[in-house]
């Protein structure tokens, strides 16, 4: 056991606040770090201490490892929670903290590296008994591409091994497209990640994106907390997420969950993680694993009653998980809407000052946000200003509650994605749970003026 008494939160916005709340409930002191642009942010005001770590650009502040380690030394923080994004999946950061005797609240650097390389991640998944998308055994070189593609069968998808989140992906519908798809994927991968290695998969045409939440204790015990359906995305940005997936029954949920938990036990995974699948015609196909807490974790918390940040802190300190798989009860349905400071149709960012702000309330409603009336959204960071999470005993109740809650939510002075959710909550396909990963982009194209 390495007791944790003070946590530095290496993040900003709603997730910094989210982590801070968990620390307070556990009686752990908190240190906020912030850029000069965030001096008036809620995460800074609510933390026990704060340290300014640099100018507005992320690379000079929230991504500046030297400044963050210095802030730990100055304040005597014995652990760092990285939130999501920024340094949350940076293995070098985990190594550096380790070298300084500071606990990284997350997986081992080795596991972050393993899953960061998508070819290695897929090989590991196969070894651990997780079903994967049929594809190349490893890296695909231009001279071997045609032979491998013929084996897999067209259409195929070329992906960057250093990629993830959709960057550097190219579809080849037939042999004629292949050479160009491979060469553009390689040059885009090189430009984006400094690594031109690519691999190949069977292209799935109309899948859903379903991901399984797991937590491991690092000593061979692990649990799953069911799945989330994150199919409603635009340009690889999730917009609306739900737990459970409208597409799965209890048996399917417990089956895929058990496969993931068993895999995490085998690798002695420590921390929270998400195993991402494409789901088509009743089959799951692993694509990637995220070795961090995800934005949409609150919908899992809503249906399980388990605080995932509490669990992360427990396992980082060696205290183990607070629950066994048998004790986890899945209850009802939850939906998250990401409230972005963006035009609700074009998604063009809309930074500026929030003039009025009123968050909805009532049974089954959670709002995670650092926004307030008078808050000036800086233009330097992502546009997520809050998350609305609604829970109901059934999906129908959840949707009815969401409709009510969206009418109550007031954010004035800037554009937000709230009007989009008012449209979606009244849509028949959404009501039926009848959507795949392409649904939202098609809907936006069809309904644009
Ligand atoms: C795929 C796919 C179809 N077939 N892989 C996009 C992001 C990255 N995490 C994986 N992605 C995809 N991989 C195969 N073999 C389609 C996508 C994809 C996608 C996946 C999840 C959510 C939204 C998406 C939007 C477009 C493409």
């Amino acid at each position: 056991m390495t007791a944790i008494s003070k946590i530095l939160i290496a993040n900003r916005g709603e997730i910094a606040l989210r982590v801070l709340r968990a620390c307070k409930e556990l009686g752990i002191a908190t240190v906020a770090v912030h850029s000069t642009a965030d001096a008036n942010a809620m995460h800074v005001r609510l933390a026990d201490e704060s340290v300014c770590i640099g100018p507005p650009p992320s690379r000079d502040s929230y991504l500046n490892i030297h400044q963050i380690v210095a802030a730990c030394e100055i304040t005597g923080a014995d652990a760092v929670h990285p939130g999501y994004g920024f340094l949350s999946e940076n293995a070098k950061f985990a190594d550096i903290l380790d070298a300084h005797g500071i606990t990284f609240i997350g997986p081992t650097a080795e596991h972050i590296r393993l899953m960061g390389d998508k070819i290695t991640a897929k090989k590991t998944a196969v070894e651990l008994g997780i079903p994967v998308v049929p594809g190349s055994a490893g890296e695909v070189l231009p001279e071997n591409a045609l032979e491998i593609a013929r084996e897999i069968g067209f259409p195929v998808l070329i992906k960057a091994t250093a990629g993830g989140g959709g960057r550097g992906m190219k579809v080849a519908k037939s042999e004629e497209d292949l050479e160009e798809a491979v060469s553009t994927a390689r040059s885009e991968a090189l430009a984006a990640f400094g690594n031109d290695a690519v691999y190949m998969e069977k292209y799935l045409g109309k899948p859903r994106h379903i991901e399984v939440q797991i937590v491991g204790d690092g000593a061979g015990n692990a649990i799953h907390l069911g799945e989330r359906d994150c199919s409603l995305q635009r340009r690889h940005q999730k917009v609306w997420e739900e737990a459970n997936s409208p597409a799965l029954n209890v048996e399917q949920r417990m089956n895929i969950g058990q496969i993931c938990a068993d895999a995490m036990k085998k690798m002695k995974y420590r921390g929270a993680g998400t195993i991402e699948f494409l789901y088509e015609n009743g089959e799951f196909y692993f694509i990637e694993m995220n070795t961090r807490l995800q934005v949409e974790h609150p919908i899992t918390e809503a249906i399980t009653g388990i605080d995932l940040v509490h669990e992360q802190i427990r396992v980082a300190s060696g205290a183990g998980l607070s629950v066994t798989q048998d004790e986890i009860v899945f209850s009802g349905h939850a939906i998250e809407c990401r409230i972005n400071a963006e035009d609700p149709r074009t998604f063009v960012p809309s930074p500026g000052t929030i003039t009025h702000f009123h968050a909805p309330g009532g049974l089954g409603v959670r709002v995670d946000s650092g926004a307030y009336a008078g808050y000036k959204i800086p233009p330097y960071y992502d546009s997520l200003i809050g998350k609305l999470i609604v829970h109901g005993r059934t999906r129908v109740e959840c949707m009815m509650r969401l409709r009510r809650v969206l009418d109550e939510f007031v954010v004035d002075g800037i554009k937000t994605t709230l009007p989009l959710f008012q449209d979606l909550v009244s849509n028949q396909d959404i009501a039926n749970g009848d959507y795949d990963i392409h649904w939202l982009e098609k809907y936006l194209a069809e309904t644009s003026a």
Side-chain angles (χ1 to χ4, degrees), residues 133 157 159 166 169 201-202 204 209 233 236 278 288 437:
V133 190
L157 189 60
K159 294 182 172 182
M169 283 191 348
E201 284 182 349
K202 175 92 194 148
L204 302 176
H209 172 123
Q233 312 202 0
H236 304 294
L278 297 178
E288 288 170 26
I437 61 169

Side-chain angles (χ1 to χ4, degrees), residues 63 160 400:
L63 290 172
M400 287 170 64

Side-chain angles (χ1 to χ4, degrees), residues 90-304:
N90 185 315
K92 194 178 108 192
F93 181 55
D95 276 334
I96 290 171
L97 290 181
D98 197 46
H100 285 79
I102 302 163
T103 301
F104 176 72
I105 300 174
T108 61
E110 187 196 351
H111 282 161
I112 298 173
R113 273 194 195 95
L114 184 77
M115 294 303 170
D117 181 290
K118 304 307 166 190
I119 290 177
T120 317
K122 220 176 145 184
K123 278 186 188 147
T124 306
V126 173
E127 287 164 16
L128 294 171
I130 298 173
V132 303
V133 190
S136 60
E139 188 180 348
V140 169
L141 297 167
E143 55 270 32
N144 306 328
L146 185 58
E147 189 191 336
I148 296 170
R150 281 178 177 157
E151 265 171 49
I152 296 169
F154 286 92
V156 296
L157 189 60
I158 320 297
K159 294 182 172 182
T161 183
R167 287 208 292 169
M169 283 191 348
K170 286 283 166 281
V171 186
K173 288 199 182 109
S174 61
E175 294 196 4
E176 296 79 78
D177 303 343
L178 190 64
E179 195 178 314
E180 192 184 323
V182 172
S183 79
T184 39
R186 279 166 63 87
S187 52
E188 284 185 21
L190 185 64
F193 313 110
N195 176 354
D196 68 358
V198 297
Y199 62 108
M200 197 185 292
E201 284 182 349
K202 175 92 194 148
Y203 177 70
L204 302 176
K206 291 179 174 299
R208 300 178 78 110
H209 172 123
I210 298 179
E211 56 184 36
V212 176
Q213 177 71 56
I214 57 84
V215 191
D217 70 356
N221 188 28
I223 54 172
H224 76 85
L225 295 103
E227 84 286 3
R228 297 182 287 260
D229 196 315
C230 307
S231 301
L232 294 174
Q233 312 202 0
R234 182 199 176 253
R235 297 194 188 165
H236 304 294
Q237 295 294 314
K238 293 172 185 169
V239 170
W240 158 306
E241 302 103 339
E242 38 188 317
N244 308 306
S245 169
L248 300 190
N249 61 36
V250 178
E251 196 188 334
Q252 288 174 299
R253 167 165 316 111
M254 295 317 269
N255 250 333
I256 193 67
Q258 192 64 52
I259 288 169
C260 292
D262 287 346
M264 294 303 105
K265 287 177 190 173
K266 278 187 219 159
M267 69 185 278
K268 291 196 165 63
Y269 185 79
R270 182 188 72 213
T274 299
I275 305 181
E276 293 190 345
F277 294 94
L278 297 178
Y279 174 82
E280 198 173 71
N281 300 324
E283 303 285 339
F284 287 93
Y285 303 95
F286 170 90
I287 43 171
E288 288 170 26
M289 177 172 178
N290 299 322
T291 55
R292 61 163 193 279
L293 187 72
Q294 299 207 153
V295 175
E296 61 273 25
H297 75 277
I299 54 176
T300 298
E301 297 184 325
I303 63 160
T304 61

Side-chain angles (χ1 to χ4, degrees), residues 342-361:
E342 291 172 353
D343 182 285
R345 282 282 152 177
T346 63
F347 299 86
V348 171
S350 173
T353 301
I354 296 175
T355 53
H356 296 274
F357 186 85
H358 179 261

Side-chain angles (χ1 to χ4, degrees), residues 357-414:
F357 186 85
H358 179 261
L363 180 63
V365 181
R366 168 175 175 180
V367 176
D368 278 19
S369 177
Y372 54 87
Y375 176 65
K376 191 174 174 196
I377 301 159
Y380 309 103
Y381 312 107
D382 75 37
S383 55
L384 183 77
I385 57 160
K387 305 187 304 208
L388 170 62
I389 302 101
V390 174
H391 183 239
R393 289 172 302 172
T394 62
R395 188 169 187 269
V396 170
E397 186 176 88
C398 186
M399 291 279 283
M400 287 170 64
R401 182 162 287 150
L402 178 56
R403 189 171 299 121
R404 181 272 288 177
V405 161
L406 286 166
D407 279 341
E408 258 177 60
F409 213 141
V410 178
V411 184
D412 287 345
I414 54 154

